Amino acid sequence: MTASTDFPRGPLHHEVNPHHQHDHTDDTNIKINMDTQNESQATKIPLRIAILLNSYRSPHISSIRDSYTRCFSSLTESPTCRFEAKPSFFYPADNFYCCPQGPHNDRDGCNGSESDASLSSDCSNELRGSDSESDGPGTKARARARSSRMKEFLPDPAEFDLIVIGGGNADPRKRHAWILRVHEFIRQTRKEWPRKKMVGVCWGHQTLGMVVGGGEVGEMGRPELGVTDSKLTPAGLRFFNDQKPPSSPAGGREKKRSSLRLHQHHRRQLVSTPPNFHQLLANNECLLSDDNSVLTFQGHPEKDAKAAKLKIRDAARWWGWDLNDQKVVEEVKELMEREHDGDWVWERVLEWAWEGVQEEGEWEWKL
């Protein structure tokens, strides 16, 4: 698969460690900072992370990607984190459509929208293909072509240490073709790579809860927006506070938590705990599978205030707040500018991912 750094529309399949523009006004300081960063990174453990961004034709997709990049860059530079995150980004929602032509992208001339019948129909038969004689060889050939093309838009689990099913802007219960393909990817990965660590974020949390755990997703009475505080369960207290990295001279992180503060942006939730998962945060806001291979968050540990403010108008759409009132706008901004534990959470997640990478698995955390 060829990496690209084009804007994530149309021909873009995925990006590996995209570069971003920065201010060159002080080249000397930049060089010093880069030298320091390189020296720090030289002693860190590299982790290859595949991140699926599941927002269909979102104008904010690049900003969503950038929030992950900022988060992981901060961790790489942190003296307390022993990992260098190496993210690659995939865009299944924007690169796969259910259409008589099979999966393709904008460069192939598809002008469909989410309201089109080609996207809103039940496409499960299209994904599976058919072996019936009435379909004829042409249908079989198209099914094989679809299967081949779909592999371009999703990661090869063999190439990554951690797979992140990120947020999205569609109902995860819908049967759009790209959603079904992500579901199929999850099932295939679980079957062929049962110890491969997977993380779900928001849409990914709900999707993994449904696909892996058989959980139910429902609408919320009041959607959540901004940084909220969620209480850790007894299992969550152990998972997030008791981890002691084998290379840590201090025997683990000093700061302990009784709750986690994370950015929220959702109007659906898992209404019950899937039978093969444990709650790490109250109200099913963080889950860990029985086999310790799937970890999910309803909140966004990767998100910061800059990314959150892109969706400030959802306060009007979801809560009916009057954003023409500057005082109301400031109140919403305050919700999004609160301190959060995102980096702290990701540091623990990377430790958890590394447990799965180690051959012997002697440091694997158990409930």
Side-chain angles (χ1 to χ4, degrees), residues 113-177:
S113 67
E114 192 166 0
S115 61
D116 289 346
S118 62
L119 282 175
S120 60
S121 62
D122 182 338
C123 302
S124 55
N125 290 331
E126 290 288 324
L127 284 171
R128 288 194 299 266
S130 173
D131 294 325
S132 66
E133 292 299 323
S134 60
D135 291 327
T139 299
K140 295 179 182 179
R142 286 194 296 272
R144 286 193 296 270
R146 282 195 294 270
S147 177
S148 175
R149 289 292 302 279
M150 284 188 292
K151 293 177 181 177
E152 297 181 29
F153 311 133
L154 293 166
D156 179 353
E159 297 178 0
F160 296 95
D161 305 311
L162 175 65
I163 297 172
V164 177
I165 310 297
N169 57 4
D171 187 333
R173 299 167 294 185
K174 296 292 186 181
R175 299 185 63 82
H176 301 330

Side-chain angles (χ1 to χ4, degrees), residues 69-365:
T69 302
R70 287 193 298 272
C71 176
F72 288 136
S73 295
S74 175
L75 284 177
T76 298
E77 296 168 7
S78 170
T80 65
C81 181
R82 61 195 187 113
F83 301 100
E84 179 187 0
K86 294 181 172 291
S88 297
F89 296 89
F90 296 80
Y91 306 86
D94 280 349
N95 286 299
F96 173 57
Y97 306 103
C98 184
C99 171
Q101 301 173 25
H104 54 281
N105 51 47
D106 287 348
R107 69 177 173 182
D108 298 316
C110 177
N111 296 312
S113 67
E114 192 166 0
S115 61
D116 289 346
S118 62
L119 282 175
S120 60
S121 62
D122 182 338
C123 302
S124 55
N125 290 331
E126 290 288 324
L127 284 171
R128 288 194 299 266
S130 173
D131 294 325
S132 66
E133 292 299 323
S134 60
D135 291 327
T139 299
K140 295 179 182 179
R142 286 194 296 272
R144 286 193 296 270
R146 282 195 294 270
S147 177
S148 175
R149 289 292 302 279
M150 284 188 292
K151 293 177 181 177
E152 297 181 29
F153 311 133
L154 293 166
D156 179 353
E159 297 178 0
F160 296 95
D161 305 311
L162 175 65
I163 297 172
V164 177
I165 310 297
N169 57 4
D171 187 333
R173 299 167 294 185
K174 296 292 186 181
R175 299 185 63 82
H176 301 330
W178 70 266
I179 293 178
L180 294 178
R181 182 63 189 100
V182 172
H183 291 185
E184 181 185 347
F185 167 75
I186 292 169
R187 286 191 290 266
Q188 288 177 344
T189 300
R190 294 280 293 165
K191 180 180 178 181
E192 299 173 14
W193 301 85
R195 290 178 61 83
K196 183 70 65 177
K197 297 296 181 81
M198 302 183 77
V199 167
V201 174
C202 196
W203 188 92
H205 162 80
Q206 298 165 14
T207 297
L208 285 167
M210 288 192 307
V211 176
V212 178
E216 180 185 352
V217 173
E219 302 292 328
M220 300 179 67
R222 177 179 171 84
E224 287 192 308
L225 198 62
V227 176
T228 65
D229 199 311
S230 299
K231 185 178 180 180
L232 286 163
T233 65
L237 288 168
R238 295 195 299 274
F239 182 87
F240 285 102
N241 290 317
D242 292 353
Q243 170 68 8
K244 298 180 180 179
S247 65
S248 173
R253 297 177 296 176
E254 295 180 1
K255 190 174 183 180
K256 294 183 180 292
R257 304 286 202 280
S258 60
S259 62
L260 295 181
R261 296 165 299 180
L262 294 175
H263 275 279
Q264 306 286 347
H265 184 259
H266 62 108
R267 54 195 174 102
R268 302 179 188 91
Q269 62 182 354
L270 283 169
V271 298
S272 60
T273 307
N276 54 341
F277 280 80
H278 300 272
Q279 285 194 77
L280 301 187
L281 284 174
N283 302 316
N284 300 304
E285 293 199 0
C286 179
L287 301 173
L288 179 68
S289 63
D290 281 343
D291 63 4
N292 194 38
S293 63
V294 178
L295 176 64
T296 69
F297 298 88
Q298 180 58 75
H300 290 264
E302 85 291 350
K303 186 172 284 190
D304 54 19
K306 181 178 180 180
K309 289 176 185 177
L310 294 171
K311 303 295 288 183
I312 195 170
R313 293 201 170 277
D314 282 344
R317 187 162 65 101
W318 290 353
W319 296 343
W321 286 16
D322 181 9
L323 296 182
N324 292 317
D325 186 335
Q326 190 58 35
K327 289 184 178 179
V328 173
V329 172
E330 293 304 317
E331 186 175 349
V332 179
K333 287 182 178 179
E334 183 181 346
L335 292 174
M336 297 175 170
E337 292 171 351
R338 290 175 176 171
E339 289 187 8
H340 61 88
D341 299 317
D343 284 4
W344 191 88
V345 167
W346 271 114
E347 185 174 344
R348 175 62 184 102
V349 171
L350 296 183
E351 287 285 355
W352 173 79
W354 176 241
E355 295 163 4
V357 173
Q358 296 177 94
E359 228 175 50
E360 298 297 328
E362 60 181 300
W363 294 102
E364 187 158 353
W365 186 88

